[in-house]
């Protein structure tokens, strides 16, 4: 029954004194099944903690462990049992006490008294109770620190665990902790370092003792010592010297942790950096890598140190060469000799080394012509990332010669879209470009990405004037649906474009472009004698024709492939396949005498079959 009356519970509690242990155990089972118990019944249960039968003691503890809080009277009975001969009971008692949110100083003093018990297990159980407390008085902490000299290593380690939980310790307590750094047991040494790492600040004397542990024979202790040093905002040269020595540690984690400690320092003395540079010659590539990591964090290395770093650019290990380049890239300035050594790596057989070398050069705003020539040569590199990095170097320069700009313009035809964009970005940044370069820009291959073509046209639109060659190259883009809107804007802006539009190699793409446009506006394109005209709402353009027949043949070729109107009467009629009158308003044709003829949009096909058909087909190109 989960809820018995007081009368029944009183009768059950009376059986806790029964001479038969099974009956006492059964009575405890009934009480444990109740949803709640009064202090009167819990007191009777606590009395069983001293029962001669082990199972009865354990059952009584089980009931007490299930209570969220216990009265001081009950806790007094519990504390007494910390010295129980049964190990299970001791640890269960410790669990009961640890479950309490807080214990009074009186109870804690009783627990501390158990720290001197001759039984190591009792001492350990008492320490477990104290460790669960968020704060302890100096008196109690002093009693805990006394256990740091305990003969049992587990007790010493447990005492350190309690001290580690404290936010700050007195100098006297820290001295006792530092003494444990020399403990014969590596677990205790590591635990002592854990206590020190939890402190907000440590004296130079204590840090010196910690740094001495960097040479500990146990790897975990060395790691723990590094943890303490990493937690410090700054370290003295003496401590850092001890750290640098460990860059050659056999443990990879220790080496990288050492590197982290050194990199965290805002600046290192030349003496320390010289010791780090000495590690660049270590036979272990991981040691060299750790040393490079330290040097990379320094932005102002001396010329002598940089020379030692630059020497590593000839290392047979490509990752060492790359690491050396990263150190050089981090420097605020480099001498010509160092830059020459970097430029030599542009021919490295490994692409990522060439890429890293370009990263160093990109940080320089003004490179010599010799270095720029070497960079420009990388624009033809087989690796796209290297080509893009080379463009990044050129973009970082304050000015570029026409020769270098021509090499950049050649990348507008690169197979890599990112490279094409980077090349265009450089050209767009120039205040002015020669006609030759503008022609190269306008000729950006049609089969490349639409975003590049779009950017090209926007760039050309921003120019104050364009040459005939540029305009011709631009006109060839008229056949692209994705760029025709921008080409149209250019067409309407540059009036000198009109003759080019109406004659030469641009006739065929112009036909398709104007045909599309006539769906939306009143456009006409016609020929009178040897002059070609385009009539748009805002202007009329014209161009002389050298050979009318050849010109009309080009137009007819342009008409090929354009879907027919679907009119059976007009099958095979070139005019019917190119005339777009329906829905476009009033259309204007030109007769053989050059006069204007109004054409009814709906009756255009019948009209086209009349006597004017031949002249119309030859004279009116788009209406």
């Amino acid at each position: 029954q989960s809820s018995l009356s007081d009368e029944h519970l009183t009768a059950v509690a009376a059986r806790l004194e029964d001479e038969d242990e099974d009956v006492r155990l059964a009575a405890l089972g009934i009480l444990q099944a109740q949803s709640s118990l009064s202090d009167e019944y819990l007191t009777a249960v606590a009395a069983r903690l001293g029962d001669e039968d082990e199972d009865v003691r354990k059952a009584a503890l089980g009931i007490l462990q299930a209570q969220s809080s216990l009265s001081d009277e009950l806790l007094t009975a519990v504390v007494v049992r910390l010295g129980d001969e049964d190990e299970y009971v001791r640890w269960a008692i410790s669990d009961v006490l640890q479950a309490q949110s807080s214990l009074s100083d009186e109870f804690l003093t009783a627990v501390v008294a158990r720290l001197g018990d001759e039984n190591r297990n009792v001492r350990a159980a008492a320490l477990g109770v104290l460790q669960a407390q968020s704060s302890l008085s100096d008196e109690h902490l002093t009693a805990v620190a006394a256990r740091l000299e305990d003969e049992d290593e587990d007790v010493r380690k447990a005492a350190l665990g309690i001290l580690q939980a404290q936010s700050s310790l007195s100098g006297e307590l820290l001295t006792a902790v530092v003494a444990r750094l020399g403990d014969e047991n590596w677990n205790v040494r590591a635990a002592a370092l854990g206590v020190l790492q939890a402190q907000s600040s440590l004296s130079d004397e204590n840090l010196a003792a910690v740094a001495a542990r960097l040479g500990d024979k146990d790897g975990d202790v060395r790691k723990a010592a590094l943890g303490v040093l990493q937690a410090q905002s700054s370290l003295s040269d003496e401590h850092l010297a001890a750290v640098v020595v460990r860059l050659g540690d056999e443990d990879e984690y220790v080496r990288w942790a050492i590197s982290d400690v050194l990199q965290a320092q805002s600046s290192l003395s030349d003496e320390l950096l010289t010791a780090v540079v000495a590690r660049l010659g270590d036979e272990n590539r991981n040691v060299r890598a750790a040393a490079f990591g330290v040097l990379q964090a320094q932005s102002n290395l001396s010329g002598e140190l940089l020379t030692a770093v630059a020497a590593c650019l000839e290392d047979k290990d490509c990752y060492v060469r790359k690491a050396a380049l990263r150190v050089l890239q981090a420097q605020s300035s480099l001498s010509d000799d160092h830059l020459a050594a970097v430029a030599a790596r542009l021919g490295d057989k490994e692409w990522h080394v060439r890429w890293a070398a370009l990263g160093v050069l990109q940080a320089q705003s003004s490179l010599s012509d010799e270095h720029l020539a070497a960079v420009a040569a990388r624009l033809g590199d087989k690796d796209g990332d290297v080509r893009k990095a080379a463009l990044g170097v050129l973009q970082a320069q304050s000015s570029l010669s026409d020769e270098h700009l021509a090499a950049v313009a050649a990348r507008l035809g690169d197979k890599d879209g990112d490279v094409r964009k980077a090349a265009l970005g450089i050209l767009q940044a120039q205040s002015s470009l020669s006609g030759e370069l503008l022609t190269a820009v306008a000729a950006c291959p049609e089969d490349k990405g639409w975003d590049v073509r779009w950017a090209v046209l926007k760039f050309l639109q921003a120019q104050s004037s364009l040459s005939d060659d540029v305009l011709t190259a631009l006109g060839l883009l008229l056949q692209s649906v994705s760029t025709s809107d921008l080409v149209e804007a250019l067409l309407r802006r540059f009036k000198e474009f009109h003759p080019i539009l109406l004659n030469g190699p641009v006739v065929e793409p112009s036909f398709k472009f104007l045909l599309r446009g006539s769906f939306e506006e009143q456009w006409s394109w016609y020929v009178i004698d040897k002059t070609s005209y385009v009539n748009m709402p805002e202007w009329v353009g014209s161009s002389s024709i050298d050979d009318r027949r050849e010109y009309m043949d080009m137009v007819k070729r342009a008409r090929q492939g354009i879907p027919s109107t679907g009119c059976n009467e007009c099958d095979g009629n070139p005019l019917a396949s190119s005339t777009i009158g329906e829905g476009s308003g009033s259309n204007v044709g030109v007769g053989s005498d050059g006069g204007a003829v109004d054409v009814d949009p709906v009756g255009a096909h019948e009209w086209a079959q009349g006597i004017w058909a031949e002249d119309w087909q030859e004279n009116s190109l788009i209406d």
Side-chain angles (χ1 to χ4, degrees):
Q1 308 299 311
S2 60
S3 181
L4 294 174
S5 66
D6 284 345
E7 182 180 358
H8 294 151
L9 286 175
T10 299
V12 170
R15 289 304 93 208
L16 293 177
E17 301 291 341
D18 197 280
E19 61 183 11
D20 188 286
E21 63 270 15
D22 289 333
V23 173
R24 298 196 298 277
L25 191 60
L28 287 168
I30 293 172
L31 294 175
Q32 189 168 20
Q34 304 306 300
S35 56
S36 64
L37 292 173
S38 66
D39 281 352
E40 180 184 357
Y41 298 127
L42 289 173
T43 300
V45 169
R48 289 301 97 205
L49 295 175
D51 197 282
E52 61 184 12
D53 185 84
E54 176 184 346
D55 291 334
V56 173
R57 296 198 300 274
K58 291 178 181 178
L61 276 169
I63 294 174
L64 296 175
Q65 283 177 306
Q67 310 305 307
S68 59
S69 63
L70 295 173
S71 66
D72 286 352
E73 183 180 357
L74 291 170
L75 287 172
T76 300
V78 170
V79 169
V80 170
R81 302 314 304 173
L82 266 177
D84 196 281
E85 61 185 12
D86 187 295
E87 184 177 2
Y88 172 85
V89 172
R90 289 194 302 274
W91 284 113
I93 288 292
S94 177
D95 285 344
V96 170
L97 294 173
Q98 288 181 47
Q100 307 305 303
S101 57
S102 64
L103 294 174
S104 66
D105 282 348
E106 182 182 356
F107 291 122
L108 289 173
T109 299
V111 172
V112 166
R114 289 296 177 179
L115 294 177
D117 197 283
E118 61 182 11
N119 187 316
R120 62 180 292 277
N121 293 318
V122 173
R123 299 195 298 274
L127 287 169
V129 174
L130 295 173
Q131 192 168 10
Q133 305 304 304
S134 57
S135 63
L136 293 171
S137 67
D138 288 344
E139 182 181 357
H140 294 150
L141 287 174
T142 299
V144 169
R147 289 300 98 205
L148 296 178
E149 302 293 337
D150 197 283
E151 62 184 11
D152 188 275
E153 62 192 44
D154 290 332
V155 172
R156 298 196 300 275
K157 186 178 177 182
L160 287 166
I162 293 173
L163 296 175
Q164 186 174 358
Q166 310 306 306
S167 57
S168 63
L169 296 174
S170 66
E172 185 179 354
L173 291 174
L174 285 174
T175 299
V177 171
V178 169
R180 286 302 97 206
L181 295 180
D183 197 282
E184 61 185 11
N185 184 277
W186 73 267
N187 279 307
V188 175
R189 297 196 299 275
L193 288 165
V195 175
L196 297 175
Q197 187 172 359
Q199 303 306 300
S200 56
S201 63
L202 294 172
S203 67
D204 283 346
E205 183 180 358
N206 291 337
L207 286 173
V210 171
R213 286 300 99 201
L214 294 174
D216 197 282
K217 62 183 179 180
D218 186 87
D220 288 334
V221 174
R222 297 197 297 275
K223 293 175 186 177
L226 282 167
V228 177
L229 297 176
Q230 282 177 305
Q232 309 305 306
S233 57
S234 63
L235 294 170
S236 69
D237 284 352
E238 181 182 357
H239 301 145
L240 289 171
V243 172
V244 169
V245 170
R246 301 314 306 173
L247 264 177
D249 196 281
E250 60 186 11
D251 188 305
E252 184 175 2
Y253 172 87
V254 172
R255 289 196 301 271
W256 285 113
I258 288 289
S259 180
D260 285 345
V261 170
L262 295 173
Q263 288 181 49
Q265 307 305 305
S266 57
S267 64
L268 295 174
S269 68
D270 282 349
E271 183 180 358
L272 290 172
L273 288 171
T274 299
V276 173
V277 167
R279 289 294 175 181
L280 297 179
D282 197 283
E283 60 183 11
N284 187 321
R285 68 188 296 271
N286 293 318
V287 173
R288 298 198 298 273
F292 278 123
V294 175
L295 296 173
Q296 192 175 345
Q298 307 299 310
S299 60
N300 289 293
L301 294 175
S302 68
E304 183 180 356
L305 295 176
L306 287 175
T307 298
V309 171
C312 294
L313 295 176
E314 301 296 332
D315 195 280
K316 62 182 179 180
D317 189 323
C318 63
Y319 290 103
V320 170
R321 300 196 297 273
K322 184 178 178 180
L325 286 166
R326 289 189 180 279
V327 173
L328 295 173
Q329 185 176 2
Q331 305 309 302
S332 56
S333 64
L334 294 172
S335 69
D336 288 343
D337 288 341
H338 297 145
L339 286 174
V342 172
R345 286 301 97 206
L346 294 178
D348 198 283
K349 62 181 180 180
E350 298 293 340
W351 75 267
H352 55 89
V353 176
R354 300 195 298 274
W355 176 83
L358 288 165
V360 177
L361 297 175
Q362 187 172 359
Q364 312 300 311
S365 61
S366 181
L367 293 172
S368 68
D369 287 343
E370 183 181 359
H371 294 153
L372 285 175
V375 171
R378 287 301 98 204
L379 293 177
D381 197 280
K382 61 183 179 181
D383 186 86
D385 288 334
V386 173
R387 297 195 299 274
K388 186 178 178 182
L391 288 167
V393 176
L394 296 175
Q395 189 167 24
Q397 303 308 300
S398 54
S399 64
L400 292 173
S401 67
D402 283 350
E403 181 183 358
H404 295 144
L405 289 172
V408 171
R411 287 301 98 203
L412 293 173
D414 198 280
K415 62 183 179 181
D416 188 312
D418 288 336
V419 173
R420 298 195 299 273
K421 291 176 189 176
L424 186 59
I426 293 176
L427 297 175
Q428 286 176 310
Q430 308 305 309
S431 58
S432 64
L433 291 176
S434 66
E436 185 179 353
L437 289 173
L438 285 172
T439 301
V441 172
C444 188
E446 174 66 13
D447 62 340
K448 302 302 180 184
W450 69 268
D451 51 342
V452 175
R453 295 199 305 274
W454 189 267
V456 164
L457 294 174
K458 291 291 285 184
F459 172 63
L460 293 174
Q461 191 175 14
Q463 304 303 307
S464 57
S465 64
L466 297 174
S467 68
D468 286 354
D469 289 339
V470 174
L471 291 170
T472 299
L474 184 62
L476 294 174
L477 293 176
L478 284 168
Q479 56 194 326
S480 169
V481 175
S482 63
T483 53
S484 61
D485 287 346
L486 268 176
V487 173
E488 180 187 339
L490 283 166
L491 167 67
R492 296 188 174 191
R493 178 180 174 193
F494 296 105
K495 293 297 191 292
E496 59 268 28
F497 189 33
H498 303 160
I500 294 170
L501 174 72
L502 304 178
N503 207 345
V506 187
V507 169
E508 293 186 38
S510 295
F511 180 86
K512 296 176 182 178
F513 161 65
L514 292 171
L515 185 61
R516 282 196 301 269
S518 66
F519 277 102
E520 300 174 2
E521 292 187 83
Q522 180 73 43
W523 288 8
S524 296
W525 186 8
Y526 48 88
V527 172
I528 299 178
D529 296 327
K530 287 190 175 184
T531 303
S532 175
Y533 295 90
V534 168
N535 192 337
M536 291 185 176
E538 65 271 31
W539 53 262
V540 175
S542 64
S543 176
S544 298
I545 300 172
D546 294 332
D547 187 329
R548 173 172 169 152
R549 177 54 59 184
E550 181 183 355
Y551 188 83
M552 298 306 295
D553 285 343
M554 284 192 292
V555 174
K556 288 177 181 179
R557 285 196 298 271
R559 287 172 173 168
Q560 292 175 2
I562 298 176
S564 71
T565 60
C567 173
N568 293 330
E569 297 177 353
C570 302
D571 278 347
N573 186 333
L575 175 64
S577 64
S578 62
T579 298
I580 356 176
E582 281 88 24
S584 299
S586 178
N587 300 275
V588 178
V590 180
S592 59
D593 61 353
V597 179
D598 286 331
V599 181
D600 174 21
V602 177
H605 298 314
E606 289 92 353
W607 182 87
Q609 292 177 328
I611 59 171
W612 297 100
E614 183 177 352
D615 285 338
W616 178 266
Q617 290 169 29
E618 289 197 2
N619 294 313
S620 180
L621 308 182
I622 291 181
D623 177 59

